[in-house]
Amino acid sequence: MASSHGSSQVPCPSGRGRDGMYRKDREPSSPHYRHVRSLPDVCPKEPTGAARGLRDGPSVVAEHERWTVYSSKVNLPAALNDPRLAKRESDFFTKSWGLDFAETEVMPSFYLPNITREHFGPYLQEMAQRERIHERCKTICPNKDDVDAVSSVTTTNHEKSRAELEQVPKIFMKPDFALEDPATFNAVLPWSHFNSAGGKSSRDMASSRLLQEKLSHYLDVVEVSIARQISLRSEAFFHAMSSQHELQDRLRETQQAVAILRGRTAAMDRIMCQGPLKAIRTALTRNNCVKLHNKLKLMAAVHQTQPTVQLLLSTSEFVGALELIATTKEVLQQELQGIHSFRHLGSQLCELEKLIDKMMVEDFSMYARSDLSRSLKDEPQVLEKERLESLVFGLLRQRKLDFLDIYNEEMILSVKCIVTQCVVESVSHIEEIDTEVITKLADQMRLMTFPQWFDLLKNIFESFLFFLQRIKATLSVIRNVVLELLDSNQKNRLLEQTVAGSGAQGQSAAPGSQLLQGEAELAYLTHEGLFISDALNEAQQQQMVAAAGGQEQSSTAGSRLQQSRGEAGGSDSASGTTESSSSREQGYQAAGGATITTSEDMMPTELELGRVANNIQELLYTASDISHDRCVKVLMARAKDGSLERLSSAEFVCLSQAVEGFAKDTEELCCRRSVSLKGALQSQANRFIHRFHEERKTKLSLLLDNERWKQAEVPAEFQDLVNSIADGRITLPERKQPGQEERKPGEFLVVDGQKYAVVGTVLLLIRIFLEYCQCVNDIPSITTDMLTRLSDLLKHFNSRSCQLVLGAGALQVVGLKTITTKNLALASRCLQLVVHYIPIIRAHFETKLQPKQYSVLRHFDHITKDYNDHISEISAKLVAIMDSLFEKVLSKYEVKAPMPSVCFRNICKQMAKMHEAIYELLPEEQAQMLFLRINASFKLHLKRQLARLGVVNDGGPQQGLVVVDVAFYTENVQVLRTLERLDLNMAEIWEQKR
C-alpha cells in the first residue's frame, strides 16, 4: 500500500468528517497549496549521461554520492510498491539479507477484519461524482506542464512581437494620426531627401526604395500582429457569430408564436367577449335608469319638506321638524346639488331653522314658568314629561346650551313667590295683625309670637323641600336626555371605528383578489380552459352589489325624508311626541346601523354634553343655596329686633333642631351642604350663647354672694341627677310630675360611693353645667363656644369662692363673723366635687368635637390644675391656723408640775375642736393627712421650745415631765375618731446627741 505526504481517506464510523470520511491531519509545516510533484525515481533502469536524468534521492543500484537518512524522501513501503517497476528484483532482499530470505505466506491476523470491496462501496459512490467533475476540468483546463509550455512559447512570441512593434515609429500609433496634417506627412515622408537641385540621382532612388521597404516592413509587422491577435481570439469570435445565428432563429420562432396568439385572442374576443360586454352595458343602462327614478322620487320628497315642517310645527313637534330640515339640507348638499329648482330652498330652510330655535326657547321658558309656579303638593312631580324631553332634545340638537339659565331665572322668581305665599297664608290666620296698616312682610313676621313664627318657618321649610324635590325630578329628566344623547354619541363613535377597521381590511384584501384574478388568466392561457367567463360573471356580480350598495346609501336620505313626511302626515297632537322620539332615534341611528347622518355633526360634542350634565348638577346646588338664602332672610327679619336672643333655651333648641333638620334634608336631597342658613343660625347661636352664659354667670355670682358656706341638705332630685350622670346620661332629667311622692332630702350628696358635704351653690352649679351639656347635645354646632363659656363659668366659681372663703370676702358680703375651719373644709369638699365632674364634662364635649378641635380641651386641664391648687391652699390654711395656735401656746410652755400642763391641755382641746369641725366633712384619708401635717407642725414648735428651755433627752426629771405631757397629747389625739391608728412619732421632738 502506497503512502504519501497528502491526506488519505479511510472510512470513519464515528463520523468526524463532514462526508463520513476520516482525514488525517496535515503537517503543520506543509503549505496549504503546493505544486504536484511526482514520486522520485528510486530505481532507474539505466543511468544516462545527461545530468538532467539523475534524481536527488538515493539509488540502491548505483551510488553517486554519500547518502544519509536526511536525504530520504519516501518511506520503505513507497519504495517497495513503486508502480513504475514491472517487477521487483529477485535479489533485492537476498543480496542484503542472505539467501535464506524468501517470500512466505503470511497468516492473516485474527485482530484485523476481512476487508472486501463492499467496504469501499460508499466511498467509491461518493467520490464518483467528484471524479467525473475532475475529469471534465482536465479536458477544459490543460495540464500545468502544457500550459507552462504554451505560456512560455506565447510569452516568447509576445515578446518578439512587442520588439517588432517597437520598431514601428510611435507616430503611427497615435490616435490623432492623419496624413492630411502637413507635420504628420513630413514626419512620415521626409521629402527633404528628394529635393535635390538636380534631377533624380541614383542615391535618391535608393533612398526612396529604402523608405518604401521600411514602410512595407512596418505594414507587415502590423498585419502579422493583427493576424496573431485575431488567431488568439478566433474562438470567441466564431462563438459570438454562432450565438447570433441561434438568436435570430429563436426570434423568428417567437414572432410566429406571437402571431398565432394574436389570432387566438381576436377569435376569443369575437366569440366570448362581445356578447357579455353588451349585457354589461345593458345592465349599466338599467342601473342608470333606476338611479334617475330614485332621484326624481327624492326631488318629490324634498319638494314636500316645507309643508311637512309647517305641519310638525303646528303640533309642537320641534324635534321632528329639525330632523326633517337637517335631512333635507343633507340631501340638497349631497344628492341634489346643482338642481336649479332648489337653489333657494337651502336659505329658506336656514331661516325656518332659526325660527324654530326661537320657538323652542320661548316654549321652554313657558314650560319652566308653569312648572315652577304650580301647586307644590297636589300635582305630579314632573309636568308633561314627554314635552320636556322633546324640548330638551331639540335645544341640544340646535346647540342651545344656555337653556338652563332660563330655568335658573324662573327658579329664583319662584323661590321668592314661595316665601311670600307662606307669609301671606300665615298672616291671614292671625287676627292681631292688620295687613292694611302693616304692609311689609318683615314687620308682619316680627309681630308674630314665637310659636306662630316657628310654625311659619316650618311651613317654609316644608314648601322648599317640596320645591327642591320637584326641581330635582325635572332636572333628572333633563339629565337623562343628556346622558342618552351622550351614550348615543359614544355608540356611533364605536360604530365608525368598526366600519373604518373593516374598510381597511377590505383594502388589504383587494391586492390578493387581483392576484387571484391574474393567476386565473394565466391558467387559462396555459391550459386553454373555459373559466374566464366565470370570472367575468363574478366581477359583474360584484359590480352589481357595489352599485346596489351605493344606490342604497344614496337613497337612505330619501327614505328618511319620505318616512318623516309620512310620520308628519299621520301624526296628531296626542301621538306627536312619541313619533318625534322615534324619529329622533332614527336621526342618530341610521338605517341598518351603518350610515351616520349629518345631524350627528350638529349635535353637541361629548365634552359639551359633559359640561351640560355638570351644569344640571350645579343648578340643583344653586336651587339648594337659593332656598337657604331665602330662609336666612326670614330668620334675619325675625332677629332684627333681638327677639331670637330673648328666646328660652328650649325655644332656641327647637329652632336649632328645625334648621339642622332642614339642612340635613336638603343635603340628602341635593347632595350639597349649604352653609348660609347654618351660618346665620350660628351667628344667632353666638348671641344666644352669650345671653345664656351671662344669665347663668350672673345667677352663679348672686348665689355665691349670698352663700353662707354652711352644709346644705341635698334634695332627692339632685341625688337622682347625680345618679343619672354616674349612669352615663349627661342630660337634664324630666320635670317631676305633680302627683309623684316627695322624698326627704339627704344630708350628703353620694357620688360613686363617696359622701360629699356641699353647699347649695354647688348643687345649682351641677345643674348649670348640665344645662350647658344639654345645649351641646341639642346644638352640636355651638360646642366650641359652649366649652369656652363653661370654662369661664368654672373659673369664675373657683376665683369667686377663693375670694369669699380664703380671702374672707364673705365677712363683708354676707356678714359672717369669721371664716371657720368648717367653712374652709366645706369649701374644699365642694371644690373636690367639681374636680370629680370635670373629666366627665371633658369626655362629653370631646364626643361632640371634631378631631382637629381637640386643642380646645386644654381649658379643662388648666381648670383642674387651678382647682387642685385651690384645694391645696385650703389645706395649707387649716394647717396654718393650727400652726399659729401652736406657736402662741408653746411659747409660754414651761417644764414644771403639775402635769399635764395647762399648755398641753389647751392644745388638746383645740385639736379636738378641729377634729370635730372637719371629720364629718372630709373623708378619712384626707383627715388623717391633715392631722399628720398638724402633728408635724406641733412637733416642730415643741422641739424649738424644748431647745430654748434646755431640756434634753438625758433621763432627768425635766425629761420625765415632758414625756408625761407628750403622752397626754398622744392619748388625746389617738382617742379621736379615724385617728386611732395614726403614727405620731413623738420621738422626733428631741435633739439628736452628737
Side-chain angles (χ1 to χ4, degrees):
M1 294 183 293
S3 174
S4 65
H5 293 281
S7 63
S8 62
Q9 296 181 352
V10 296
C12 180
S14 62
R16 292 173 58 184
R18 289 180 300 174
D19 50 0
M21 294 298 166
Y22 179 83
R23 292 179 173 83
K24 293 192 292 183
D25 297 335
R26 296 180 179 271
E27 296 177 0
S29 61
S30 61
H32 188 67
Y33 297 102
R34 58 186 178 182
H35 298 290
V36 178
R37 297 180 61 184
S38 62
L39 291 174
D41 191 1
V42 297
C43 297
K45 290 186 184 241
E46 289 294 337
T48 59
R52 187 179 300 176
L54 295 177
R55 296 289 186 259
D56 296 333
S59 176
V60 297
V61 179
E63 292 292 335
H64 298 281
E65 61 185 29
R66 183 175 177 82
W67 182 87
T68 63
V69 293
Y70 298 102
S71 303
S72 178
K73 295 185 178 178
V74 295
N75 53 10
L76 184 59
L80 295 177
N81 295 321
D82 189 0
R84 293 175 295 177
L85 296 179
K87 63 178 180 178
R88 193 175 65 218
E89 297 286 341
S90 60
D91 60 345
F92 183 81
F93 293 105
T94 58
K95 183 171 60 175
S96 300
W97 297 335
L99 297 175
D100 295 335
F101 182 82
E103 293 183 359
T104 59
E105 183 179 0
V106 180
M107 294 296 293
S109 175
F110 297 101
Y111 299 100
L112 296 177
N114 188 16
I115 304 300
T116 61
R117 186 176 180 83
E118 285 74 11
H119 288 84
F120 295 94
Y123 173 73
L124 294 174
Q125 186 178 359
E126 180 186 359
M127 299 303 294
Q129 180 67 22
R130 300 184 183 181
E131 185 179 4
R132 287 194 295 270
I133 296 173
H134 178 66
E135 293 296 334
R136 188 162 54 250
C137 290
K138 285 175 64 178
T139 57
I140 296 174
C141 299
N143 193 6
K144 183 177 182 301
D145 298 334
D146 299 338
V147 172
D148 292 341
V150 173
S151 62
S152 62
V153 174
T154 305
T155 303
T156 303
N157 295 332
H158 181 66
E159 292 177 355
K160 182 179 180 181
S161 174
R162 180 178 297 177
E164 292 177 353
L165 284 176
E166 287 179 355
Q167 297 177 3
V168 179
K170 301 298 183 181
I171 191 172
F172 294 103
M173 304 300 177
K174 291 183 179 180
D176 56 348
F177 177 78
L179 289 175
E180 293 84 0
D181 186 8
T184 303
F185 187 81
N186 290 329
V188 173
L189 298 175
W191 291 103
S192 60
H193 298 285
F194 306 104
N195 293 334
S196 59
K200 295 182 179 179
S201 64
S202 59
R203 193 180 60 177
D204 293 337
M205 292 296 291
S207 298
S208 61
R209 189 178 300 111
L210 181 60
L211 179 60
Q212 184 178 1
E213 290 178 358
K214 186 184 296 186
L215 294 176
S216 299
H217 175 67
Y218 293 161
L219 179 61
D220 294 339
V221 170
V222 173
E223 287 179 351
V224 169
S225 179
I226 292 174
R228 185 180 298 111
Q229 294 296 329
I230 291 175
S231 65
L232 292 176
R233 292 171 175 79
S234 59
E235 184 178 356
F237 175 74
F238 290 116
H239 177 69
M241 293 300 295
S242 61
S243 299
Q244 180 68 20
H245 292 306
E246 185 180 357
L247 180 61
Q248 290 179 356
D249 295 339
R250 291 187 180 182
L251 287 176
R252 192 178 302 109
E253 293 175 0
T254 304
Q255 183 179 7
Q256 293 175 1
V258 170
I260 295 172
L261 179 60
R262 286 182 175 179
R264 290 184 180 181
T265 305
M268 184 173 61
D269 178 63
R270 184 177 64 256
I271 296 171
M272 300 178 63
C273 297
Q274 291 182 359
L277 288 176
K278 184 177 181 182
I280 292 174
R281 284 194 294 270
T282 305
L284 291 176
T285 304
R286 181 181 179 279
N287 290 336
N288 291 335
C289 293
V290 171
K291 291 181 181 179
L292 178 60
H293 181 254
N294 292 334
K295 290 289 184 181
L296 293 176
K297 290 195 296 183
L298 190 60
M299 291 176 65
V302 171
H303 184 66
Q304 295 296 324
T305 298
Q306 287 183 326
T308 306
V309 169
Q310 296 295 336
L311 181 61
L312 291 172
L313 292 180
S314 64
T315 57
S316 299
E317 284 294 327
F318 302 110
V319 178
L322 290 173
E323 289 293 338
L324 181 59
I325 291 174
T327 306
T328 305
K329 291 169 68 176
E330 176 189 357
V331 171
L332 288 175
Q333 293 175 1
Q334 296 182 0
E335 305 295 335
L336 301 179
Q337 189 174 8
I339 303 298
H340 186 71
S341 58
F342 292 149
R343 62 185 183 277
H344 300 301
L345 183 58
S347 59
Q348 294 174 359
L349 292 178
C350 291
E351 295 296 330
L352 193 58
E353 192 173 9
K354 293 179 181 179
L355 177 62
I356 294 174
D357 291 346
K358 294 180 181 179
M359 294 176 64
M360 284 193 300
V361 172
E362 293 178 359
D363 197 6
F364 182 79
S365 178
M366 293 176 59
Y367 172 84
R369 190 177 301 111
S370 61
D371 178 53
L372 297 175
S373 61
R374 60 194 174 96
S375 177
L376 296 173
K377 300 179 181 180
D378 300 335
E379 298 184 8
Q381 291 290 339
V382 181
L383 179 65
E384 298 181 9
K385 180 178 179 181
E386 293 79 6
R387 177 188 173 192
L388 176 61
E389 290 177 345
S390 177
L391 284 172
V392 172
F393 186 84
L395 291 170
L396 292 175
R397 168 71 173 69
Q398 295 303 110
R399 291 179 177 268
K400 298 295 182 180
L401 305 180
D402 57 346
F403 65 94
L404 293 177
D405 297 337
I406 300 173
Y407 196 85
N408 188 21
E409 295 174 359
E410 297 294 336
M411 184 176 63
I412 295 173
L413 296 176
S414 299
V415 167
K416 296 179 180 179
C417 294
I418 288 174
V419 174
T420 303
Q421 184 179 359
C422 291
V423 173
V424 170
E425 289 180 357
S426 298
V427 171
S428 63
H429 296 88
I430 302 175
E431 298 179 355
E432 291 82 3
I433 300 176
D434 189 359
T435 56
E436 295 180 357
V437 177
I438 302 172
T439 57
K440 293 184 179 181
L441 297 180
D443 296 337
Q444 294 175 1
M445 285 188 288
R446 281 192 288 271
L447 292 177
M448 296 179 182
T449 61
F450 178 76
Q452 294 172 347
W453 178 82
F454 189 63
D455 292 339
L456 169 63
L457 184 63
K458 290 193 292 184
N459 187 20
I460 292 174
F461 287 165
E462 184 180 2
S463 300
F464 277 141
L465 286 177
F466 282 117
F467 178 71
L468 292 176
Q469 290 175 0
R470 176 171 295 173
I471 291 177
K472 183 176 182 180
T474 302
L475 293 179
S476 297
V477 174
I478 299 175
R479 184 181 181 87
N480 290 335
V481 174
V482 174
L483 294 179
E484 178 185 357
L485 194 57
L486 184 61
D487 184 61
S488 173
N489 287 349
Q490 293 176 353
K491 289 180 179 179
N492 288 334
R493 189 180 70 253
L494 293 176
L495 182 61
E496 289 178 353
Q497 294 176 357
T498 303
V499 171
S502 61
Q505 292 178 0
Q507 291 179 1
S508 63
S513 62
Q514 295 177 0
L515 182 60
L516 292 176
Q517 184 177 2
E519 291 178 355
E521 294 176 357
L522 180 60
Y524 170 75
L525 293 175
T526 306
H527 301 288
E528 296 184 358
L530 297 177
F531 54 83
I532 276 191
S533 59
D534 298 335
L536 292 175
N537 290 333
E538 292 179 0
Q540 184 177 2
Q541 290 177 1
Q542 293 177 0
Q543 291 178 358
M544 292 177 66
V545 170
Q551 179 180 352
E552 180 180 357
Q553 293 179 358
S554 63
S555 62
T556 301
S559 63
R560 290 203 304 271
L561 280 174
Q562 295 174 0
Q563 187 176 4
S564 300
R565 187 179 61 190
E567 290 176 355
S571 63
D572 53 6
S573 60
S575 62
T577 306
T578 304
E579 292 178 356
S580 68
S581 62
S582 64
S583 65
R584 179 182 67 206
E585 294 176 358
Q586 294 169 359
Y588 56 78
Q589 292 181 357
T595 303
I596 308 300
T597 62
T598 55
S599 62
E600 185 101 359
D601 298 334
M602 301 179 64
M603 288 293 180
T605 62
E606 293 183 6
L607 181 60
E608 292 174 341
L609 291 175
R611 290 175 181 173
V612 172
N614 293 334
N615 291 338
I616 292 172
Q617 188 63 37
E618 291 294 334
L619 187 59
L620 184 60
Y621 296 160
T622 303
S624 176
D625 294 340
I626 292 174
S627 301
H628 280 255
D629 293 341
R630 301 309 300 181
C631 292
V632 168
K633 291 187 177 181
V634 174
L635 191 66
M636 299 309 294
R638 176 71 180 182
K640 188 174 182 181
D641 59 349
S643 58
L644 294 182
E645 300 177 14
R646 295 189 294 270
L647 295 178
S648 65
S649 59
E651 290 175 342
F652 193 85
V653 166
C654 292
L655 174 62
S656 176
Q657 290 176 348
V659 173
E660 291 287 345
F662 176 70
K664 183 178 179 181
D665 293 338
T666 55
E667 183 178 355
E668 293 177 356
L669 185 62
C670 303
C671 301
R672 180 179 180 86
R673 180 178 297 177
S674 299
V675 297
S676 57
L677 181 58
K678 296 182 71 173
L681 178 65
Q682 184 66 37
S683 64
Q684 293 300 320
N686 293 334
R687 298 178 183 178
F688 169 77
I689 291 170
H690 179 72
R691 183 191 59 79
F692 179 88
H693 175 67
E694 290 299 328
E695 287 181 356
R696 278 140 185 84
K697 187 176 181 180
T698 303
K699 182 178 179 180
L700 181 62
S701 299
L702 292 176
L703 290 174
L704 288 172
D705 291 342
N706 294 317
E707 181 62 56
R708 302 188 66 84
W709 298 101
K710 292 183 178 181
Q711 183 177 359
E713 295 182 344
V714 180
E717 60 180 9
F718 282 97
Q719 185 63 52
D720 295 339
L721 186 63
V722 170
N723 294 336
S724 66
I725 294 175
D727 294 336
R729 298 188 300 272
I730 308 179
T731 56
L732 289 174
E734 297 180 357
R735 291 188 178 183
K736 183 175 63 174
Q737 299 295 331
Q740 291 182 356
E741 180 182 357
E742 295 185 359
R743 292 176 293 172
K744 294 182 179 180
E747 186 177 359
F748 295 95
L749 184 67
V750 181
V751 180
D752 293 338
Q754 291 190 13
K755 293 181 179 181
Y756 286 88
V758 295
V759 296
T761 303
V762 174
L763 295 176
L764 294 177
L765 178 63
I766 293 174
R767 185 176 183 86
I768 287 173
F769 68 66
L770 282 181
E771 290 177 354
Y772 279 81
C773 293
Q774 184 67 40
C775 281
V776 170
N777 292 338
D778 297 332
I779 315 174
S781 60
I782 62 174
T783 301
T784 54
D785 292 335
M786 276 295 183
L787 189 149
T788 306
R789 305 303 169 88
L790 180 58
S791 301
D792 181 67
L793 184 72
L794 294 175
K795 290 179 181 178
H796 176 69
F797 174 77
N798 185 37
S799 61
R800 188 59 180 164
S801 61
C802 181
Q803 293 172 3
L804 292 174
V805 179
L806 283 178
L811 300 179
Q812 292 81 19
V813 176
V814 186
L816 295 179
K817 295 181 180 180
T818 182
I819 301 298
T820 64
T821 56
K822 192 168 187 176
N823 298 138
L824 292 172
L826 191 60
S828 175
R829 198 59 176 157
C830 291
L831 293 174
Q832 292 175 21
L833 179 62
V834 176
V835 170
H836 173 79
Y837 280 112
I838 286 177
I840 300 175
I841 299 172
R842 176 194 175 106
H844 178 73
F845 274 86
E846 186 174 359
T847 59
K848 306 299 179 182
L849 291 173
Q850 299 293 331
K852 61 183 180 180
Q853 297 174 335
Y854 285 168
S855 59
V856 298
L857 295 173
R858 66 181 183 275
H859 295 298
F860 289 113
D861 299 332
H862 300 327
I863 293 172
T864 303
K865 182 178 181 301
D866 293 342
Y867 271 72
N868 288 329
D869 293 343
H870 190 183
I871 294 170
S872 300
E873 290 176 3
I874 292 177
S875 299
K877 182 66 176 177
L878 291 174
V879 175
I881 291 174
M882 296 303 296
D883 184 78
S884 61
L885 175 65
F886 293 151
E887 184 180 4
K888 180 181 179 181
V889 174
L890 290 176
S891 63
K892 301 177 182 179
Y893 176 62
E894 295 180 357
V895 183
K896 64 181 180 178
M899 292 296 169
S901 63
V902 178
C903 181
F904 271 77
R905 290 178 184 275
N906 291 333
I907 289 174
C908 290
K909 183 178 180 180
Q910 294 298 326
M911 293 282 283
K913 288 182 179 180
M914 169 70 75
H915 180 267
E916 183 181 1
I918 67 173
Y919 88 95
E920 291 184 351
L921 302 179
L922 298 178
E924 181 178 352
E925 296 80 4
Q926 293 185 18
Q928 290 178 357
M929 292 298 298
L930 178 63
F931 274 93
L932 281 176
R933 294 176 62 186
I934 293 174
N935 180 60
S937 176
F938 169 74
K939 289 188 293 182
L940 179 63
H941 286 287
L942 179 59
K943 184 176 182 180
R944 291 176 180 175
Q945 184 63 23
L946 291 176
R948 189 181 304 113
L949 296 175
V951 179
V952 296
N953 187 13
D954 56 357
Q958 287 187 336
Q959 181 190 3
L961 294 176
V962 173
V963 170
V964 172
D965 283 337
V966 170
F968 175 76
Y969 167 80
T970 303
E971 181 181 357
N972 280 274
V973 171
Q974 291 182 346
V975 107
L976 299 176
R977 292 181 59 182
T978 70
L979 302 180
E980 294 86 357
R981 294 182 299 275
L982 194 65
D983 185 12
L984 299 180
N985 193 12
M986 297 303 296
E988 295 180 353
I989 64 175
W990 303 107
E991 289 284 348
Q992 298 293 331
K993 293 181 179 181
R994 298 180 180 179

